[in-house]
Amino acid sequence: MSLYLAIFGWIFTILAGVIVGLIVYSRWHYGSLERLGIPVVKPYLFFGSNYNEPYVDITKQDIQRQKEYGLVYGVYDGRSPQIYIADPKIIRLISTVDFEHFQNHGWVVGSDSLSILTNILDFLNDEKWKTVRGALTPIFTGGKIKQLSPTIQSFCENYAEDLANQCDLSGGRVNGLVFKE
């Protein structure tokens, strides 16, 4: 009888050690954003801060979190710390001055060569990102954007007018959406 208890004790100890080890491993980075002074959405167990993401409207959740935590706040996606930035000044610095430090966005897209996502700048990593960014940067200079501004404004005005006409003809419904003033 004592042999069974000894075996059970060892199995229980090993199993408890593995469970505790997995919990410690999954929560290892929790606290890293707090040490940097960034307000953080409290993580839930080892699921992170976004444990309810499939069940919520992410846009509304981001707006609510921005109101609660400020323009810069952190979350844990599983065990990975992530910083959300809504401050236009910081976004401008990241996207213009310091862009070489922020080339990998953490989004993984399949390597299917036919996938359109593999060629979008937001999904590229490392050298491919640098190459595409280097090719696109001269295209979007301030002078060229100013040249395009009247054309873009004209298209936006035409689109708004067409949308208003469609709303008038369909009683305020366009493609199932209801528009109200």
Side-chain angles (χ1 to χ4, degrees):
M1 188 68 145
S2 65
L3 179 62
Y4 291 121
L5 287 175
I7 292 174
F8 176 74
W10 280 105
I11 291 174
F12 180 76
T13 303
I14 291 171
L15 187 61
V18 168
I19 291 172
V20 168
L22 286 173
I23 291 172
V24 167
Y25 172 77
S26 66
R27 297 178 56 94
W28 190 261
H29 294 289
Y30 289 7
S32 60
L33 295 174
E34 291 89 336
R35 284 191 292 276
L36 295 172
I38 298 171
V40 175
V41 178
K42 187 177 182 225
Y44 181 73
L45 294 176
F46 48 82
F47 299 112
S49 304
N50 296 327
Y51 64 93
N52 63 345
E53 199 167 77
Y55 309 108
V56 296
D57 182 351
I58 296 173
T59 305
K60 289 180 182 175
Q61 182 181 25
D62 285 345
I63 292 169
Q64 185 268 332
R65 286 179 174 176
Q66 179 184 338
K67 288 177 183 175
E68 186 175 342
Y69 296 101
L71 295 176
V72 177
Y73 65 91
V75 300
Y76 291 98
D77 188 18
R79 66 186 300 258
S80 302
Q82 296 182 351
I83 300 173
Y84 284 57
I85 300 172
D87 186 349
K89 292 176 185 174
I90 297 174
I91 292 172
R92 184 173 188 275
L93 283 173
I94 290 171
S95 61
T96 57
V97 178
D98 296 325
F99 69 88
E100 68 270 1
H101 303 293
F102 296 93
Q103 61 191 2
N104 294 338
H105 299 95
W107 298 327
V108 179
V109 178
S111 62
D112 181 13
S113 61
L114 299 177
S115 174
I116 193 167
L117 294 178
T118 59
N119 296 316
I120 295 176
L121 188 62
D122 287 343
F123 294 104
L124 297 177
N125 290 320
D126 301 323
E127 289 303 317
K128 191 169 183 181
W129 180 88
K130 285 183 181 179
T131 303
V132 173
R133 171 72 188 211
L136 289 177
T137 299
I139 295 171
F140 296 104
T141 62
K144 291 181 181 177
I145 296 293
K146 286 180 184 176
Q147 281 180 326
L148 287 173
S149 194
T151 306
I152 293 170
Q153 183 175 359
S154 171
F155 279 116
C156 289
E157 288 170 356
N158 289 339
Y159 176 70
E161 186 178 316
D162 289 343
L163 188 60
N165 290 338
Q166 286 183 17
C167 283
D168 290 341
L169 294 174
S170 62
R173 290 185 173 273
V174 177
N175 293 334
L177 299 174
V178 178
F179 292 91
K180 299 177 181 178
E181 287 189 38

